Amino acid sequence: MSDTFNALVVDNVDGTYSAFFKDLSVPDLPDESVLVDVSYSTLNYKDGLAVTGKGKIVRKFPMVCGIDLAGTVVDSNDDRYSAGDKVLVNGWGLSETHWGGYAQKQRVNADFITKVPEPFSLQDTMAIGTAGYTSMLCVLALEDAGITPDQGDIVVTGAAGGVGSVAIALLAKLGYRVVASSGRASESDYLMGLGAAEVIGRDVLDRDARPMEKGRWAGGVDSVGSKTLATMLAETKEEGAVAACGLAGGTDLPTTVMPFILRGVKLLGVNSVTCLSARRDQAWARLAQDLDMEKLNAMTTVEPMSNVPTLAEDILKGQVRGRIVIDVNA
Ligand code: NDP
């Protein structure tokens, strides 16, 4: 067996940002406690930003990208893990300040690790990945805010993307009536197949809204931000709530306080990266319970790591559907 293995690295030398495949060996890896044979990583919007350099994601160079990984422990200096354990990591600064999952082996901080929950395979966990686990965090946030299926429609934006697709499948299984907002009319059948009851165009929400409009939503899951999120807030009914996790449409939020102070609307921020382990475990347990595996398979494509540079461009253009698993050994 070769001593070297393949990794996707980005570097920034004299202001020139580049992504390239490189042979690494175990001594090149960071000095962390758990060595993992990586089977799969994933492609998230943030990976697109990191690999292309179009977003300021990477804070330390050179960096092995990939915000997620799943694999088998080879060696561990931490009592919680031993050789053979099936493990995953979502976020925690992978591809930002810590080397990530686009590598056939990686050493990771034991505190970042989640044991692969039953009944998932390694590949299933990466079909879910950060995007899907974030969808579950959004659903938990809505539940904690008291939003129940009998209160009315839940709108999901960026619907055909990763967060959106998993959120639709989860909410539909939990009995919510889901309205999917997508810029891709061609994906309507796909979205209805995941459980959306209705599909609306992106432009319905991506517009200049008045401070408050007719209450239409009991709640929402937003991965877009900007005017879209502002319109969702303006259209949320009394005591409704919107879980906001994304910025695919922009980082601004041109809203007013009116929905908050006149309707008691709640804006629930969701951050998956440094989310505490207990909440992560809760989210993964709920994914095991509430995610329809047939729907997960229907939204997932497996791609070799060699395709990541091209896919990174595609996801930033909004051209990726559902979830992409990256097979780092293909
Ligand atoms: P995807 O690219 O898979 O999904 C984003 C979707 O948003 C696209 O598929 C598209 O859906 C829509 N979209 C794309 N561009 C625009 C645009 N300019 N205006 C409006 N809508 C647009 O990404 P992910 O699902 O991986 O991530 C979604 C967002 O959530 C990202 O911003 C990401 O950074 C964020 N995120 C945040 C996390 C957190 O911890 N807070 C964790 C995970 C993700 P359609 O064609 O259907 O309209």
Side-chain angles (χ1 to χ4, degrees):
M1 195 179 121
S2 163
D3 288 342
T4 63
F5 55 87
N6 192 22
L8 178 56
V9 179
V10 298
D11 209 347
N12 193 348
V13 179
D14 299 331
T16 303
Y17 199 94
S18 60
F20 49 91
F21 290 96
K22 186 174 181 184
D23 283 339
L24 298 176
S25 56
V26 170
D28 296 325
L29 295 175
D31 186 19
E32 300 287 2
S33 52
V34 183
L35 177 64
V36 179
D37 244 337
V38 181
S39 297
Y40 301 101
S41 183
T42 80
L43 183 84
N44 300 276
Y45 192 87
K46 193 173 186 177
D47 294 308
L49 293 172
V51 170
T52 60
K54 287 183 178 154
K56 203 164 182 280
I57 303 296
V58 178
R59 307 284 163 162
K60 262 172 64 178
F61 295 95
M63 175 58 67
V64 174
C65 289
I67 68 171
D68 289 319
L69 66 80
T72 308
V73 173
V74 178
D75 189 25
S76 171
N77 295 329
D78 187 284
D79 291 346
R80 290 168 286 178
Y81 301 101
S82 47
D85 286 348
K86 304 286 183 206
V87 295
L88 69 102
V89 182
N90 296 128
W92 286 119
L94 262 56
S95 184
E96 298 181 62
T97 48
H98 300 276
W99 281 14
Y102 294 157
Q104 292 169 314
K105 290 185 195 297
Q106 193 54 275
R107 271 214 204 94
V108 291
N109 183 326
D111 292 339
F112 297 173
I113 291 175
T114 300
K115 280 200 177 163
V116 168
E118 295 281 347
F120 295 129
S121 67
L122 290 171
Q123 186 173 324
D124 294 336
T125 66
M126 291 292 99
I128 294 166
T130 284
Y133 138 72
T134 301
S135 310
M136 192 73 239
L137 292 177
C138 291
V139 172
L140 290 173
L142 292 178
E143 288 180 349
D144 290 351
I147 309 301
T148 48
D150 55 302
Q151 291 167 11
D153 291 357
I154 306 292
V155 62
V156 174
T157 62
V163 172
S165 294
V166 180
I168 292 167
L170 286 169
L171 289 162
K173 179 150 184 218
L174 290 166
Y176 293 90
R177 185 176 188 277
V178 182
V179 177
S181 163
S182 176
R184 289 177 271 178
S186 56
E187 299 297 356
S188 287
D189 288 348
Y190 163 77
L191 296 168
M192 302 290 271
L194 294 181
E198 187 182 337
V199 180
I200 59 172
R202 184 186 290 173
D203 51 343
V204 173
L205 298 171
D206 185 11
R207 61 180 172 81
D208 295 310
R210 294 191 301 281
M212 286 212 302
E213 302 198 357
K214 183 167 181 285
R216 193 170 172 193
W217 317 115
V221 171
D222 179 52
S223 52
V224 172
S226 193
K227 289 181 186 178
T228 299
L229 177 55
T231 306
M232 289 166 82
L233 293 168
E235 291 185 343
T236 298
K237 297 195 278 192
E238 295 219 333
E239 303 305 326
V242 176
C245 70
L247 45 65
T251 55
D252 60 325
L253 180 54
T255 189
T256 73
V257 297
M258 302 303 259
F260 310 120
I261 65 174
L262 294 183
R263 284 188 183 151
V265 168
K266 290 159 205 73
L267 177 55
L268 312 168
V270 171
N271 166 27
S272 67
V273 177
T274 51
C275 175
L276 297 178
S277 293
R279 186 68 159 178
R280 287 172 187 260
D281 292 345
Q282 183 190 8
W284 276 101
R286 283 291 303 276
L287 283 159
Q289 186 184 305
D290 297 324
L291 184 58
D292 181 325
M293 295 305 287
E294 267 183 39
K295 288 183 180 170
L296 181 65
N297 291 335
M299 69 177 84
T300 303
T301 314
V302 182
E303 296 276 358
M305 190 158 67
S306 53
N307 286 351
V308 169
T310 307
L311 292 166
E313 300 280 354
D314 292 346
I315 198 166
L316 297 185
K317 289 185 215 144
Q319 290 172 351
V320 163
R321 176 169 102 174
R323 295 284 303 136
I324 294 194
V325 170
I326 302 301
D327 184 342
V328 301
N329 298 298

